[in-house]
Amino acid sequence: MAHFGQSDDYRRDELIRIIEHSVEKLTLAELEALYYDMITKSYINDN
């Protein structure tokens, strides 16, 4: 996955693209489960 000499910013952008592509394919139930999991782990804040 990670390549030698890759900048952290490039790798971060690459991971975001991969995650976005994967999330787009999730069903509503899967998105709700992911959302709940992220809320409980404080990865996102729903204010």
mmCIF file of all heavy atoms in Angstrom:
data_model
loop_
_atom_site.group_PDB
_atom_site.id
_atom_site.type_symbol
_atom_site.label_atom_id
_atom_site.label_comp_id
_atom_site.label_asym_id
_atom_site.label_seq_id
_atom_site.Cartn_x
_atom_site.Cartn_y
_atom_site.Cartn_z
ATOM 1 N N MET A 1 0.817 -1.194 0.000
ATOM 2 C CA MET A 1 0.000 0.000 0.000
ATOM 3 C C MET A 1 0.862 1.260 0.000
ATOM 4 O O MET A 1 0.940 1.947 -0.976
ATOM 5 C CB MET A 1 -0.945 0.011 1.188
ATOM 6 C CG MET A 1 -2.220 -0.743 0.902
ATOM 7 S SD MET A 1 -3.691 -0.149 1.691
ATOM 8 C CE MET A 1 -3.494 -0.347 3.365
ATOM 9 N N ALA A 2 1.498 1.545 1.137
ATOM 10 C CA ALA A 2 2.303 2.757 1.203
ATOM 11 C C ALA A 2 3.600 2.551 0.430
ATOM 12 O O ALA A 2 4.183 1.480 0.438
ATOM 13 C CB ALA A 2 2.613 3.097 2.654
ATOM 14 N N HIS A 3 4.008 3.588 -0.254
ATOM 15 C CA HIS A 3 5.222 3.509 -1.057
ATOM 16 C C HIS A 3 6.304 4.359 -0.400
ATOM 17 O O HIS A 3 6.031 5.398 0.170
ATOM 18 C CB HIS A 3 4.945 4.019 -2.472
ATOM 19 C CG HIS A 3 3.864 3.256 -3.155
ATOM 20 N ND1 HIS A 3 4.034 1.980 -3.639
ATOM 21 C CD2 HIS A 3 2.581 3.582 -3.413
ATOM 22 C CE1 HIS A 3 2.916 1.566 -4.182
ATOM 23 N NE2 HIS A 3 2.011 2.508 -4.046
ATOM 24 N N PHE A 4 7.545 3.904 -0.494
ATOM 25 C CA PHE A 4 8.649 4.663 0.064
ATOM 26 C C PHE A 4 8.746 6.009 -0.646
ATOM 27 O O PHE A 4 8.593 6.111 -1.849
ATOM 28 C CB PHE A 4 9.957 3.894 -0.096
ATOM 29 C CG PHE A 4 10.008 2.652 0.749
ATOM 30 C CD1 PHE A 4 9.956 1.397 0.169
ATOM 31 C CD2 PHE A 4 10.104 2.740 2.132
ATOM 32 C CE1 PHE A 4 10.005 0.249 0.939
ATOM 33 C CE2 PHE A 4 10.152 1.612 2.915
ATOM 34 C CZ PHE A 4 10.099 0.353 2.325
ATOM 35 N N GLY A 5 8.979 7.049 0.135
ATOM 36 C CA GLY A 5 9.141 8.367 -0.427
ATOM 37 C C GLY A 5 7.835 9.126 -0.632
ATOM 38 O O GLY A 5 7.843 10.271 -1.040
ATOM 39 N N GLN A 6 6.720 8.473 -0.358
ATOM 40 C CA GLN A 6 5.427 9.131 -0.516
ATOM 41 C C GLN A 6 5.239 10.135 0.614
ATOM 42 O O GLN A 6 5.501 9.829 1.766
ATOM 43 C CB GLN A 6 4.317 8.078 -0.419
ATOM 44 C CG GLN A 6 3.376 8.049 -1.565
ATOM 45 C CD GLN A 6 2.318 6.970 -1.374
ATOM 46 O OE1 GLN A 6 2.075 6.497 -0.286
ATOM 47 N NE2 GLN A 6 1.708 6.600 -2.451
ATOM 48 N N SER A 7 4.761 11.316 0.273
ATOM 49 C CA SER A 7 4.533 12.308 1.313
ATOM 50 C C SER A 7 3.296 11.920 2.117
ATOM 51 O O SER A 7 2.400 11.221 1.634
ATOM 52 C CB SER A 7 4.334 13.692 0.700
ATOM 53 O OG SER A 7 3.067 13.778 0.085
ATOM 54 N N ASP A 8 3.261 12.374 3.352
ATOM 55 C CA ASP A 8 2.110 12.099 4.205
ATOM 56 C C ASP A 8 0.835 12.684 3.611
ATOM 57 O O ASP A 8 -0.224 12.057 3.680
ATOM 58 C CB ASP A 8 2.333 12.654 5.605
ATOM 59 C CG ASP A 8 3.341 11.858 6.408
ATOM 60 O OD1 ASP A 8 3.681 10.719 5.995
ATOM 61 O OD2 ASP A 8 3.803 12.368 7.447
ATOM 62 N N ASP A 9 0.919 13.874 3.029
ATOM 63 C CA ASP A 9 -0.257 14.503 2.432
ATOM 64 C C ASP A 9 -0.785 13.686 1.259
ATOM 65 O O ASP A 9 -1.995 13.514 1.111
ATOM 66 C CB ASP A 9 0.049 15.928 1.961
ATOM 67 C CG ASP A 9 0.227 16.898 3.115
ATOM 68 O OD1 ASP A 9 -0.249 16.590 4.243
ATOM 69 O OD2 ASP A 9 0.834 17.953 2.899
ATOM 70 N N TYR A 10 0.106 13.189 0.435
ATOM 71 C CA TYR A 10 -0.305 12.378 -0.707
ATOM 72 C C TYR A 10 -0.986 11.104 -0.225
ATOM 73 O O TYR A 10 -2.031 10.714 -0.733
ATOM 74 C CB TYR A 10 0.885 12.033 -1.600
ATOM 75 C CG TYR A 10 0.494 11.154 -2.762
ATOM 76 C CD1 TYR A 10 -0.052 11.717 -3.920
ATOM 77 C CD2 TYR A 10 0.631 9.775 -2.694
ATOM 78 C CE1 TYR A 10 -0.440 10.905 -4.979
ATOM 79 C CE2 TYR A 10 0.250 8.957 -3.748
ATOM 80 C CZ TYR A 10 -0.285 9.531 -4.884
ATOM 81 O OH TYR A 10 -0.676 8.738 -5.935
ATOM 82 N N ARG A 11 -0.395 10.456 0.755
ATOM 83 C CA ARG A 11 -0.960 9.205 1.278
ATOM 84 C C ARG A 11 -2.307 9.465 1.916
ATOM 85 O O ARG A 11 -3.247 8.686 1.767
ATOM 86 C CB ARG A 11 0.006 8.573 2.288
ATOM 87 C CG ARG A 11 -0.482 7.268 2.847
ATOM 88 C CD ARG A 11 -0.591 6.196 1.772
ATOM 89 N NE ARG A 11 -1.051 4.957 2.384
ATOM 90 C CZ ARG A 11 -1.834 4.082 1.778
ATOM 91 N NH1 ARG A 11 -2.209 4.270 0.533
ATOM 92 N NH2 ARG A 11 -2.212 2.996 2.403
ATOM 93 N N ARG A 12 -2.436 10.574 2.643
ATOM 94 C CA ARG A 12 -3.714 10.950 3.263
ATOM 95 C C ARG A 12 -4.779 11.141 2.195
ATOM 96 O O ARG A 12 -5.892 10.626 2.318
ATOM 97 C CB ARG A 12 -3.541 12.225 4.087
ATOM 98 C CG ARG A 12 -4.771 12.630 4.848
ATOM 99 C CD ARG A 12 -4.517 13.890 5.675
ATOM 100 N NE ARG A 12 -5.638 14.208 6.511
ATOM 101 C CZ ARG A 12 -6.749 14.807 6.090
ATOM 102 N NH1 ARG A 12 -6.860 15.153 4.820
ATOM 103 N NH2 ARG A 12 -7.734 15.065 6.916
ATOM 104 N N ASP A 13 -4.464 11.876 1.142
ATOM 105 C CA ASP A 13 -5.407 12.095 0.045
ATOM 106 C C ASP A 13 -5.800 10.781 -0.619
ATOM 107 O O ASP A 13 -6.966 10.567 -0.963
ATOM 108 C CB ASP A 13 -4.821 13.046 -0.995
ATOM 109 C CG ASP A 13 -4.713 14.479 -0.497
ATOM 110 O OD1 ASP A 13 -5.345 14.805 0.530
ATOM 111 O OD2 ASP A 13 -3.993 15.260 -1.135
ATOM 112 N N GLU A 14 -4.826 9.897 -0.794
ATOM 113 C CA GLU A 14 -5.094 8.593 -1.398
ATOM 114 C C GLU A 14 -6.056 7.779 -0.531
ATOM 115 O O GLU A 14 -7.018 7.185 -1.033
ATOM 116 C CB GLU A 14 -3.776 7.841 -1.573
ATOM 117 C CG GLU A 14 -3.917 6.474 -2.192
ATOM 118 C CD GLU A 14 -2.579 5.752 -2.300
ATOM 119 O OE1 GLU A 14 -1.711 5.930 -1.427
ATOM 120 O OE2 GLU A 14 -2.424 5.005 -3.277
ATOM 121 N N LEU A 15 -5.836 7.773 0.763
ATOM 122 C CA LEU A 15 -6.711 7.036 1.674
ATOM 123 C C LEU A 15 -8.119 7.621 1.695
ATOM 124 O O LEU A 15 -9.106 6.878 1.716
ATOM 125 C CB LEU A 15 -6.117 7.021 3.087
ATOM 126 C CG LEU A 15 -4.880 6.153 3.255
ATOM 127 C CD1 LEU A 15 -4.229 6.404 4.613
ATOM 128 C CD2 LEU A 15 -5.216 4.684 3.076
ATOM 129 N N ILE A 16 -8.226 8.932 1.662
ATOM 130 C CA ILE A 16 -9.546 9.581 1.626
ATOM 131 C C ILE A 16 -10.297 9.177 0.368
ATOM 132 O O ILE A 16 -11.489 8.864 0.422
ATOM 133 C CB ILE A 16 -9.413 11.115 1.745
ATOM 134 C CG1 ILE A 16 -8.989 11.486 3.166
ATOM 135 C CG2 ILE A 16 -10.720 11.808 1.362
ATOM 136 C CD1 ILE A 16 -8.614 12.944 3.334
ATOM 137 N N ARG A 17 -9.623 9.161 -0.780
ATOM 138 C CA ARG A 17 -10.275 8.755 -2.035
ATOM 139 C C ARG A 17 -10.767 7.316 -1.957
ATOM 140 O O ARG A 17 -11.884 7.006 -2.375
ATOM 141 C CB ARG A 17 -9.314 8.913 -3.215
ATOM 142 C CG ARG A 17 -9.181 10.332 -3.714
ATOM 143 C CD ARG A 17 -8.431 10.391 -5.050
ATOM 144 N NE ARG A 17 -7.078 9.848 -4.969
ATOM 145 C CZ ARG A 17 -6.018 10.531 -4.549
ATOM 146 N NH1 ARG A 17 -6.155 11.791 -4.179
ATOM 147 N NH2 ARG A 17 -4.819 9.981 -4.531
ATOM 148 N N ILE A 18 -9.955 6.433 -1.403
ATOM 149 C CA ILE A 18 -10.339 5.027 -1.274
ATOM 150 C C ILE A 18 -11.556 4.889 -0.358
ATOM 151 O O ILE A 18 -12.515 4.171 -0.674
ATOM 152 C CB ILE A 18 -9.154 4.190 -0.742
ATOM 153 C CG1 ILE A 18 -8.054 4.116 -1.798
ATOM 154 C CG2 ILE A 18 -9.611 2.786 -0.348
ATOM 155 C CD1 ILE A 18 -6.728 3.583 -1.274
ATOM 156 N N ILE A 19 -11.525 5.583 0.762
ATOM 157 C CA ILE A 19 -12.636 5.516 1.711
ATOM 158 C C ILE A 19 -13.901 6.106 1.103
ATOM 159 O O ILE A 19 -14.987 5.517 1.224
ATOM 160 C CB ILE A 19 -12.257 6.223 3.028
ATOM 161 C CG1 ILE A 19 -11.183 5.402 3.746
ATOM 162 C CG2 ILE A 19 -13.477 6.411 3.919
ATOM 163 C CD1 ILE A 19 -10.505 6.129 4.899
ATOM 164 N N GLU A 20 -13.799 7.248 0.431
ATOM 165 C CA GLU A 20 -14.969 7.858 -0.209
ATOM 166 C C GLU A 20 -15.585 6.912 -1.227
ATOM 167 O O GLU A 20 -16.818 6.759 -1.285
ATOM 168 C CB GLU A 20 -14.593 9.170 -0.900
ATOM 169 C CG GLU A 20 -14.370 10.318 0.046
ATOM 170 C CD GLU A 20 -13.917 11.577 -0.667
ATOM 171 O OE1 GLU A 20 -13.393 11.492 -1.802
ATOM 172 O OE2 GLU A 20 -14.061 12.659 -0.077
ATOM 173 N N HIS A 21 -14.759 6.289 -2.029
ATOM 174 C CA HIS A 21 -15.243 5.361 -3.049
ATOM 175 C C HIS A 21 -15.983 4.187 -2.401
ATOM 176 O O HIS A 21 -17.035 3.760 -2.875
ATOM 177 C CB HIS A 21 -14.072 4.862 -3.901
ATOM 178 C CG HIS A 21 -14.472 3.963 -5.012
ATOM 179 N ND1 HIS A 21 -15.152 4.409 -6.125
ATOM 180 C CD2 HIS A 21 -14.308 2.634 -5.179
ATOM 181 C CE1 HIS A 21 -15.386 3.379 -6.924
ATOM 182 N NE2 HIS A 21 -14.878 2.293 -6.374
ATOM 183 N N SER A 22 -15.457 3.691 -1.300
ATOM 184 C CA SER A 22 -16.085 2.574 -0.599
ATOM 185 C C SER A 22 -17.397 2.979 0.054
ATOM 186 O O SER A 22 -18.384 2.238 0.006
ATOM 187 C CB SER A 22 -15.130 2.023 0.466
ATOM 188 O OG SER A 22 -13.956 1.543 -0.140
ATOM 189 N N VAL A 23 -17.425 4.155 0.658
ATOM 190 C CA VAL A 23 -18.635 4.631 1.346
ATOM 191 C C VAL A 23 -19.777 4.841 0.353
ATOM 192 O O VAL A 23 -20.936 4.569 0.665
ATOM 193 C CB VAL A 23 -18.324 5.920 2.144
ATOM 194 C CG1 VAL A 23 -19.594 6.619 2.596
ATOM 195 C CG2 VAL A 23 -17.435 5.601 3.331
ATOM 196 N N GLU A 24 -19.455 5.286 -0.849
ATOM 197 C CA GLU A 24 -20.486 5.514 -1.861
ATOM 198 C C GLU A 24 -21.253 4.241 -2.202
ATOM 199 O O GLU A 24 -22.389 4.303 -2.646
ATOM 200 C CB GLU A 24 -19.861 6.090 -3.128
ATOM 201 C CG GLU A 24 -19.401 7.521 -2.976
ATOM 202 C CD GLU A 24 -18.634 8.012 -4.186
ATOM 203 O OE1 GLU A 24 -18.294 7.203 -5.080
ATOM 204 O OE2 GLU A 24 -18.367 9.227 -4.241
ATOM 205 N N LYS A 25 -20.658 3.086 -1.966
ATOM 206 C CA LYS A 25 -21.282 1.808 -2.317
ATOM 207 C C LYS A 25 -22.121 1.214 -1.182
ATOM 208 O O LYS A 25 -22.796 0.214 -1.383
ATOM 209 C CB LYS A 25 -20.204 0.799 -2.721
ATOM 210 C CG LYS A 25 -19.446 1.202 -3.965
ATOM 211 C CD LYS A 25 -18.368 0.191 -4.275
ATOM 212 C CE LYS A 25 -17.587 0.572 -5.506
ATOM 213 N NZ LYS A 25 -16.559 -0.416 -5.829
ATOM 214 N N LEU A 26 -22.065 1.810 0.013
ATOM 215 C CA LEU A 26 -22.776 1.258 1.157
ATOM 216 C C LEU A 26 -24.282 1.484 1.052
ATOM 217 O O LEU A 26 -24.736 2.487 0.498
ATOM 218 C CB LEU A 26 -22.266 1.892 2.458
ATOM 219 C CG LEU A 26 -20.809 1.643 2.822
ATOM 220 C CD1 LEU A 26 -20.449 2.384 4.105
ATOM 221 C CD2 LEU A 26 -20.511 0.160 2.953
ATOM 222 N N THR A 27 -25.040 0.569 1.636
ATOM 223 C CA THR A 27 -26.497 0.727 1.712
ATOM 224 C C THR A 27 -26.815 1.710 2.837
ATOM 225 O O THR A 27 -25.940 2.057 3.644
ATOM 226 C CB THR A 27 -27.175 -0.619 2.027
ATOM 227 O OG1 THR A 27 -26.781 -1.029 3.354
ATOM 228 C CG2 THR A 27 -26.813 -1.691 1.004
ATOM 229 N N LEU A 28 -28.062 2.123 2.902
ATOM 230 C CA LEU A 28 -28.479 3.039 3.965
ATOM 231 C C LEU A 28 -28.234 2.409 5.332
ATOM 232 O O LEU A 28 -27.704 3.067 6.241
ATOM 233 C CB LEU A 28 -29.952 3.415 3.813
ATOM 234 C CG LEU A 28 -30.518 4.334 4.891
ATOM 235 C CD1 LEU A 28 -29.718 5.620 4.994
ATOM 236 C CD2 LEU A 28 -31.978 4.609 4.636
ATOM 237 N N ALA A 29 -28.581 1.150 5.495
ATOM 238 C CA ALA A 29 -28.369 0.479 6.781
ATOM 239 C C ALA A 29 -26.885 0.433 7.141
ATOM 240 O O ALA A 29 -26.515 0.650 8.305
ATOM 241 C CB ALA A 29 -28.951 -0.927 6.740
ATOM 242 N N GLU A 30 -26.041 0.163 6.169
ATOM 243 C CA GLU A 30 -24.599 0.130 6.417
ATOM 244 C C GLU A 30 -24.069 1.513 6.770
ATOM 245 O O GLU A 30 -23.221 1.661 7.656
ATOM 246 C CB GLU A 30 -23.861 -0.420 5.199
ATOM 247 C CG GLU A 30 -24.117 -1.892 4.959
ATOM 248 C CD GLU A 30 -23.639 -2.375 3.606
ATOM 249 O OE1 GLU A 30 -23.600 -1.583 2.641
ATOM 250 O OE2 GLU A 30 -23.308 -3.571 3.517
ATOM 251 N N LEU A 31 -24.577 2.551 6.094
ATOM 252 C CA LEU A 31 -24.165 3.922 6.408
ATOM 253 C C LEU A 31 -24.586 4.309 7.813
ATOM 254 O O LEU A 31 -23.832 4.951 8.544
ATOM 255 C CB LEU A 31 -24.762 4.907 5.398
ATOM 256 C CG LEU A 31 -24.102 4.944 4.040
ATOM 257 C CD1 LEU A 31 -24.953 5.756 3.076
ATOM 258 C CD2 LEU A 31 -22.701 5.494 4.128
ATOM 259 N N GLU A 32 -25.808 3.919 8.206
ATOM 260 C CA GLU A 32 -26.281 4.229 9.552
ATOM 261 C C GLU A 32 -25.435 3.517 10.601
ATOM 262 O O GLU A 32 -25.101 4.100 11.634
ATOM 263 C CB GLU A 32 -27.756 3.864 9.694
ATOM 264 C CG GLU A 32 -28.649 4.823 8.932
ATOM 265 C CD GLU A 32 -30.110 4.422 8.925
ATOM 266 O OE1 GLU A 32 -30.416 3.228 9.110
ATOM 267 O OE2 GLU A 32 -30.944 5.322 8.733
ATOM 268 N N ALA A 33 -25.052 2.279 10.343
ATOM 269 C CA ALA A 33 -24.204 1.536 11.270
ATOM 270 C C ALA A 33 -22.826 2.190 11.375
ATOM 271 O O ALA A 33 -22.276 2.334 12.477
ATOM 272 C CB ALA A 33 -24.076 0.084 10.826
ATOM 273 N N LEU A 34 -22.272 2.601 10.244
ATOM 274 C CA LEU A 34 -20.978 3.278 10.232
ATOM 275 C C LEU A 34 -21.064 4.596 10.992
ATOM 276 O O LEU A 34 -20.190 4.928 11.804
ATOM 277 C CB LEU A 34 -20.515 3.511 8.796
ATOM 278 C CG LEU A 34 -19.205 4.259 8.615
ATOM 279 C CD1 LEU A 34 -18.048 3.509 9.275
ATOM 280 C CD2 LEU A 34 -18.936 4.487 7.133
ATOM 281 N N TYR A 35 -22.122 5.346 10.747
ATOM 282 C CA TYR A 35 -22.338 6.621 11.424
ATOM 283 C C TYR A 35 -22.404 6.414 12.933
ATOM 284 O O TYR A 35 -21.737 7.116 13.696
ATOM 285 C CB TYR A 35 -23.623 7.261 10.898
ATOM 286 C CG TYR A 35 -24.012 8.527 11.611
ATOM 287 C CD1 TYR A 35 -23.383 9.724 11.323
ATOM 288 C CD2 TYR A 35 -25.023 8.522 12.567
ATOM 289 C CE1 TYR A 35 -23.742 10.894 11.975
ATOM 290 C CE2 TYR A 35 -25.387 9.671 13.227
ATOM 291 C CZ TYR A 35 -24.747 10.854 12.931
ATOM 292 O OH TYR A 35 -25.101 12.003 13.586
ATOM 293 N N TYR A 36 -23.185 5.443 13.370
ATOM 294 C CA TYR A 36 -23.309 5.163 14.796
ATOM 295 C C TYR A 36 -21.949 4.790 15.395
ATOM 296 O O TYR A 36 -21.568 5.279 16.451
ATOM 297 C CB TYR A 36 -24.327 4.044 15.037
ATOM 298 C CG TYR A 36 -24.436 3.658 16.490
ATOM 299 C CD1 TYR A 36 -25.157 4.450 17.380
ATOM 300 C CD2 TYR A 36 -23.790 2.532 16.984
ATOM 301 C CE1 TYR A 36 -25.241 4.120 18.725
ATOM 302 C CE2 TYR A 36 -23.872 2.197 18.326
ATOM 303 C CZ TYR A 36 -24.598 2.987 19.193
ATOM 304 O OH TYR A 36 -24.672 2.655 20.518
ATOM 305 N N ASP A 37 -21.220 3.942 14.709
ATOM 306 C CA ASP A 37 -19.903 3.517 15.184
ATOM 307 C C ASP A 37 -18.959 4.711 15.307
ATOM 308 O O ASP A 37 -18.240 4.845 16.298
ATOM 309 C CB ASP A 37 -19.333 2.461 14.235
ATOM 310 C CG ASP A 37 -18.047 1.846 14.754
ATOM 311 O OD1 ASP A 37 -18.021 1.423 15.931
ATOM 312 O OD2 ASP A 37 -17.077 1.782 13.984
ATOM 313 N N MET A 38 -18.986 5.589 14.326
ATOM 314 C CA MET A 38 -18.097 6.752 14.343
ATOM 315 C C MET A 38 -18.495 7.737 15.440
ATOM 316 O O MET A 38 -17.625 8.361 16.064
ATOM 317 C CB MET A 38 -18.082 7.423 12.975
ATOM 318 C CG MET A 38 -17.414 6.555 11.915
ATOM 319 S SD MET A 38 -17.413 7.310 10.299
ATOM 320 C CE MET A 38 -16.089 8.493 10.518
ATOM 321 N N ILE A 39 -19.801 7.873 15.682
ATOM 322 C CA ILE A 39 -20.276 8.750 16.764
ATOM 323 C C ILE A 39 -19.808 8.210 18.115
ATOM 324 O O ILE A 39 -19.294 8.948 18.952
ATOM 325 C CB ILE A 39 -21.821 8.859 16.732
ATOM 326 C CG1 ILE A 39 -22.275 9.742 15.575
ATOM 327 C CG2 ILE A 39 -22.379 9.396 18.050
ATOM 328 C CD1 ILE A 39 -22.093 11.225 15.783
ATOM 329 N N THR A 40 -19.997 6.895 18.331
ATOM 330 C CA THR A 40 -19.636 6.313 19.626
ATOM 331 C C THR A 40 -18.136 6.350 19.881
ATOM 332 O O THR A 40 -17.708 6.363 21.027
ATOM 333 C CB THR A 40 -20.144 4.865 19.771
ATOM 334 O OG1 THR A 40 -19.584 4.055 18.727
ATOM 335 C CG2 THR A 40 -21.664 4.808 19.679
ATOM 336 N N LYS A 41 -17.345 6.394 18.836
ATOM 337 C CA LYS A 41 -15.886 6.463 18.983
ATOM 338 C C LYS A 41 -15.371 7.899 18.911
ATOM 339 O O LYS A 41 -14.164 8.143 18.921
ATOM 340 C CB LYS A 41 -15.199 5.617 17.909
ATOM 341 C CG LYS A 41 -15.465 4.131 18.107
ATOM 342 C CD LYS A 41 -14.823 3.324 17.020
ATOM 343 C CE LYS A 41 -15.105 1.836 17.261
ATOM 344 N NZ LYS A 41 -14.642 1.011 16.160
ATOM 345 N N SER A 42 -16.304 8.855 18.837
ATOM 346 C CA SER A 42 -15.980 10.285 18.776
ATOM 347 C C SER A 42 -15.132 10.663 17.571
ATOM 348 O O SER A 42 -14.343 11.601 17.616
ATOM 349 C CB SER A 42 -15.297 10.733 20.072
ATOM 350 O OG SER A 42 -16.154 10.546 21.173
ATOM 351 N N TYR A 43 -15.278 9.906 16.472
ATOM 352 C CA TYR A 43 -14.599 10.291 15.228
ATOM 353 C C TYR A 43 -15.318 11.446 14.548
ATOM 354 O O TYR A 43 -14.705 12.204 13.799
ATOM 355 C CB TYR A 43 -14.519 9.110 14.251
ATOM 356 C CG TYR A 43 -13.615 7.990 14.718
ATOM 357 C CD1 TYR A 43 -13.955 6.669 14.484
ATOM 358 C CD2 TYR A 43 -12.415 8.257 15.368
ATOM 359 C CE1 TYR A 43 -13.126 5.631 14.900
ATOM 360 C CE2 TYR A 43 -11.582 7.215 15.784
ATOM 361 C CZ TYR A 43 -11.947 5.916 15.537
ATOM 362 O OH TYR A 43 -11.136 4.896 15.945
ATOM 363 N N ILE A 44 -16.621 11.541 14.786
ATOM 364 C CA ILE A 44 -17.400 12.661 14.266
ATOM 365 C C ILE A 44 -18.229 13.215 15.416
ATOM 366 O O ILE A 44 -18.558 12.517 16.371
ATOM 367 C CB ILE A 44 -18.302 12.276 13.066
ATOM 368 C CG1 ILE A 44 -19.248 11.146 13.414
ATOM 369 C CG2 ILE A 44 -17.478 11.938 11.869
ATOM 370 C CD1 ILE A 44 -20.208 10.814 12.271
ATOM 371 N N ASN A 45 -18.569 14.476 15.304
ATOM 372 C CA ASN A 45 -19.338 15.170 16.333
ATOM 373 C C ASN A 45 -20.588 15.704 15.676
ATOM 374 O O ASN A 45 -20.520 16.526 14.764
ATOM 375 C CB ASN A 45 -18.499 16.295 16.930
ATOM 376 C CG ASN A 45 -19.131 16.904 18.138
ATOM 377 O OD1 ASN A 45 -20.279 16.623 18.463
ATOM 378 N ND2 ASN A 45 -18.386 17.775 18.815
ATOM 379 N N ASP A 46 -21.740 15.248 16.107
ATOM 380 C CA ASP A 46 -23.017 15.632 15.492
ATOM 381 C C ASP A 46 -23.702 16.718 16.304
ATOM 382 O O ASP A 46 -24.643 16.467 17.031
ATOM 383 C CB ASP A 46 -23.921 14.398 15.368
ATOM 384 C CG ASP A 46 -25.099 14.632 14.443
ATOM 385 O OD1 ASP A 46 -25.024 15.538 13.606
ATOM 386 O OD2 ASP A 46 -26.086 13.882 14.551
ATOM 387 N N ASN A 47 -23.189 17.936 16.184
ATOM 388 C CA ASN A 47 -23.786 19.069 16.921
ATOM 389 C C ASN A 47 -24.653 19.882 16.016
ATOM 390 O O ASN A 47 -24.435 20.163 14.932
ATOM 391 C CB ASN A 47 -22.691 19.960 17.502
ATOM 392 C CG ASN A 47 -21.989 19.294 18.662
ATOM 393 O OD1 ASN A 47 -22.574 18.501 19.380
ATOM 394 N ND2 ASN A 47 -20.720 19.610 18.835
#
